[in-house]
Structures are given as structure tokens and as C-alpha cells.
Amino acid sequence: MAKPWNRISASQLKTAALCPRKWWFDKLSDLPKPADTAAFVEGKRIHAQVEAYLKEGTLPSDPRALALSKHYRPRSHAHGIISEQQVNVGTDRGLSVPLLGYIDLIDKSAMPHTLGIVDFKSVKDWKWAKTEQELQTDLQMVPYAVWAFDTYKPVHVAVAHLQVHKATSQTAEVSAMLGKREVMAVWDNTIVPLSHDMAKWALAESPVEVPAVITACGAFGGCPYLSVCQRGQASPSTSLFAGIGRVKASTTIPLDSQGTTPMSKLQDLIKARSAARGLPTLAVV
């Protein structure tokens, strides 16, 4: 039986846009959660050290975190910088459930005209870094911008990814200046409809009742639910999921005998899905 669903996040939006069935497995099924990847653990450690520097002045020991920290002063809240700010966008903005999240850093130094929102990223290859155009419709930054407009009432919101290369510790920033009209167009035409689709999928008792995007099976190293997904199966009458809670994550197997599908063209998949629904193109990396 599916779990209750009462909140949404930017990561959930990205997963659901990539493959609704993967999102259902991850958030609604009672399958054991896959172990965090080494890349996720590494990125979380870098984030934690940058946050400790901003809040407490603790100098990072990781060279990647140190490189990011050099862009700001310690205890920088005294200079108009807020670290780790909670975001809560309620259903009054049209969502099916509230959206919750955290902004890595808010820069109020240019208020009341511009509010800055910064997200720290660690990348293995610069090719995975988002472009300025992609930030304008990003499923993480747009909800944060909506919250920022509602909370601080700036004229513009400047969203940025401050990125560090994992191997070289070099940093680079990509940013985009967003106006409220453009932000709300993406919100109303893309994010709100997606949240209502997710609310319908959340009612499914079986994963085969939820759409699956087969071409997304190899994304990010391969889906951890491949062994139980029944890709291509769309009828619950032949489902093998009556005892889904007893299926273990350790049963995961490779996509097929030829290996997983590379997802360097993931943006093309998202564009195609958006075009089919008559919606703006989303950037999901």
C-alpha cells in the first residue's frame, strides 16, 4: 500500500519530471531506501563544512569546501547573508501539497532591489553545470524564487549556482536574474500542474498505475528500482506487486545484458515531454 504524501520538494519535482514511477517507488512505496551514493555523501560533507564556516567561522578542512567558503566572510549574517534558510510555499500558490526546502545562502546586501539566492554545487565535470538559461526554469531555483518574491518583495531575484570542481577545487558561478512575471509563468504552467499530477500518482496502489519513462532508466548511474519496475507494464491486472513491502533493495540488477543507457541527452527527454504537454521546457541535470 502506498504511503501518505503530504509535502513536495525540489528533488521530488526533478525525480517526477524524469520518471513518475521512479518517484513513486522512492516516496510512496514501502521498499527500503537505496543507500546514498558516494557522490551524494561527498557533496553533503562539503555543504556541511561551508555552512559551519558561514555560521560559526569554522575553517573547512576539505579543500573543495574551503574554495567555496573563500567567496564569503565568516559569520556573514552580519553582512546581509543568511545561511541555510527554510523555504515553505503553501497550497495558496496552487500546489497540491506544500513545498518545503532549504536555500543554501540568501544575500540581502542588494535589497530592496535584488535578493540573491545561492546554491552550492560540487561537480565532477563542468559539462554537468547548468547554464544561465537552464537556471531560469530550474525546478529547484524557480520555487525558491517564488518564495523569495513572496517573503522579501524584491524587484528581482538573482539565482546562482556556486560550483566547485571535485578534482581541482576550482570554483565557478553561473547566475540568472529573474523577474516575478517570468518566474510565475514557469510556476503556474509547469510546477503547479506537475504537483497535481504527482497528487494523482500518489493515490496509486501499484507502481504499474504510474507512468514509467523507460528511456530514463539509466539516468545518474541507473535506477535502483529496475529489478522491480516491470518497465513497459501498464496494467495492474498482471502486477507482481501485491507484496511490494517485502521486496528488498538488494535485489536490484543491471538494466540489461548490454548495460545501462547513458543519459547525456537527458535534457532532450525533458524537452520532448514538455513539448507533448504544451509546457515550457524544463532543465533537469
Side-chain angles (χ1 to χ4, degrees):
M1 180 176 292
K3 297 177 181 177
W5 182 62
N6 53 22
R7 72 176 186 88
I8 199 169
S9 66
S11 63
Q12 287 190 51
L13 288 171
K14 289 188 176 187
T15 302
L18 174 66
C19 178
R21 192 175 294 184
K22 180 180 179 181
W23 169 79
W24 188 94
F25 276 123
D26 193 47
K27 293 299 178 184
L28 279 302
S29 78
D30 51 5
L31 284 171
K33 293 297 181 184
D36 292 334
T37 64
F40 177 84
V41 173
E42 184 180 33
K44 190 173 181 179
R45 182 177 64 248
I46 293 171
H47 271 71
Q49 291 193 17
V50 175
E51 183 182 351
Y53 171 81
L54 291 171
K55 290 183 175 180
E56 305 162 11
T58 305
L59 200 63
S61 59
D62 189 300
R64 285 79 58 91
L66 182 61
L68 290 171
S69 299
K70 287 181 178 179
H71 290 261
Y72 300 97
R73 301 179 187 180
R75 299 183 180 88
S76 53
H77 60 277
H79 307 283
I81 303 295
I82 301 172
S83 177
E84 195 70 6
Q85 175 69 51
Q86 185 176 24
V87 172
N88 187 339
V89 182
T91 54
D92 56 324
R93 273 293 184 189
L95 295 173
S96 55
V97 293
L99 184 147
L100 303 177
Y102 288 91
I103 294 175
D104 287 346
L105 185 144
I106 294 176
D107 185 350
K108 298 172 61 179
S109 60
M111 283 290 285
H113 186 272
T114 302
L115 182 79
I117 292 178
V118 179
D119 198 57
F120 301 120
K121 300 289 185 184
S122 53
V123 296
K124 185 177 180 180
D125 192 310
W126 290 120
K127 69 181 179 180
W128 302 119
K130 289 187 181 296
T131 66
E132 177 183 350
Q133 291 71 30
E134 288 171 333
L135 283 182
Q136 294 172 10
T137 55
D138 182 64
L139 288 175
Q140 178 184 30
M141 304 309 277
V142 167
Y144 290 174
V146 169
W147 174 86
F149 278 119
D150 288 345
T151 304
Y152 290 99
K153 308 294 190 297
V155 178
H156 293 97
V157 173
V159 297
H161 279 182
L162 180 57
Q163 301 155 110
V164 63
H165 194 281
K166 289 183 178 180
T168 66
S169 297
Q170 291 181 320
T171 60
E173 182 175 275
V174 178
S175 62
M177 188 72 73
L178 306 182
K180 188 171 184 179
R181 179 181 298 178
E182 294 77 18
V183 165
M184 293 312 303
V186 178
W187 179 266
D188 292 335
N189 296 327
T190 300
I191 294 175
V192 169
L194 179 57
S195 81
H196 287 279
D197 285 342
M198 294 165 74
K200 287 185 264 186
W201 299 330
L203 299 176
E205 293 295 326
S206 165
V208 294
E209 300 173 36
V210 182
V213 180
I214 297 176
T215 48
C217 295
F220 312 116
C223 178
Y225 306 107
L226 285 175
S227 64
V228 293
C229 181
Q230 288 185 276
R231 293 168 295 146
Q233 174 62 258
S235 172
S237 61
T238 57
S239 174
L240 300 177
F241 290 88
I244 191 171
R246 297 188 293 275
V247 179
K248 302 300 182 183
S250 59
T251 60
T252 300
I253 59 176
L255 173 59
D256 52 40
S257 60
Q258 298 178 342
T260 58
T261 303
M263 290 302 293
S264 59
K265 295 185 177 181
L266 176 57
Q267 181 61 32
D268 293 338
L269 300 176
I270 302 303
K271 286 180 180 179
R273 294 186 66 216
S274 298
R277 297 177 60 191
L279 300 176
T281 299
L282 299 177
V284 181
V285 174

